[in-house]
């Protein structure tokens, strides 16, 4: 079963092998398309979270996350962290919203490939939040943090990946 985007949306410009998240002994993966235009929203971007076993069997179990604003570029850069409670998936989009930038994340519990929540944090104009970023594991077993650079403001932000309100 092919996964494919539309002309010009850079579908497959990035791919992450996530390991077996769904518990079926087959690796799952994420594919991103930062210039996709879901629902006609120009270059909002999309990320597909794919169940490897279902996809290989032709069932195409996919959860799709779509950007919600023009030029958001969801999926410009993606990262993930496996945690004892599930998977954290993040997108860093430094060019979103007048170069303000954005960090977006989702939590997917081990019970399957359906997200429990998504959240995002917006930068300030010309800050380029999300120019780079990654998850920081929490050694005490608590959910991880996200570290995101904002070079236009000369700072880094440490975000709580468990926060559902983008704090």
């Amino acid at each position: 079963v092919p996964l494919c985007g539309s002309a010009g949306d850079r579908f497959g410009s990035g791919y992450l092998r996530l390991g077996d998240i769904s518990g079926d002994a087959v690796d799952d993966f994420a594919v991103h398309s930062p210039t996709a235009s879901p629902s006609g929203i120009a270059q909002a971007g999309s990320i597909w979270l794919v169940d490897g076993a279902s996809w290989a069997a032709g069932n195409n179990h996919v959860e799709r996350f779509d950007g919600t604003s023009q030029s958001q570029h969801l999926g410009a850069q993606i990262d993930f962290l496996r945690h004892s409670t599930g998977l954290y998936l993040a997108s860093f989009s430094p060019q979103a919203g007048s170069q303000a930038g954005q960090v977006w994340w989702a939590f997917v519990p081990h019970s399957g490939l359906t997200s429990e929540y998504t959240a995002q944090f917006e930068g300030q104009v010309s800050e380029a939040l999300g120019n780079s970023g990654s998850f920081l594991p929490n050694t005490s077993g608590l959910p991880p943090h996200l570290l995101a650079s904002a070079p236009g403001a000369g700072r880094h932000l440490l975000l709580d990946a468990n926060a559902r309100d983008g704090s």
Side-chain angles (χ1 to χ4, degrees), residues 10-60:
R10 295 181 46 213
F11 179 83
S13 62
Y15 165 98
L16 283 176
R17 182 175 153 221
L18 305 172
D20 180 21
I21 303 302
S22 57
D24 56 16
V26 177
D27 283 351
D28 306 309
F29 57 97
V31 179
H32 59 104
S33 178
T35 55
S37 298
S39 302
I41 305 170
Q43 298 189 0
S46 297
I47 299 172
W48 285 262
L49 187 58
V50 183
D51 181 308
S54 292
W55 177 70
N59 298 327
N60 215 13

Side-chain angles (χ1 to χ4, degrees), residues 49-130:
L49 187 58
V50 183
D51 181 308
S54 292
W55 177 70
N59 298 327
N60 215 13
H61 180 249
V62 175
E63 181 169 8
R64 180 176 172 169
F65 302 102
D66 291 325
T68 56
S69 60
Q70 185 172 339
S71 299
Q72 182 179 348
H73 301 283
L74 184 69
Q77 302 169 50
I78 56 177
D79 189 25
F80 77 99
L81 180 102
R82 292 187 66 159
H83 186 266
S84 61
T85 58
L87 172 83
Y88 288 88
L89 180 68
S91 169
F92 303 95
S93 305
Q95 298 191 11
S98 300
Q99 305 291 321
Q102 178 192 74
V103 177
W104 170 97
W105 63 95
F107 173 69
V108 180
H110 282 305
S111 57
L113 284 177
T114 303
S115 64
E116 184 174 298
Y117 67 86
T118 64
Q120 62 189 38
F121 188 86
E122 307 286 337
Q124 303 298 315
V125 173
S126 300
E127 181 170 62
L129 176 66

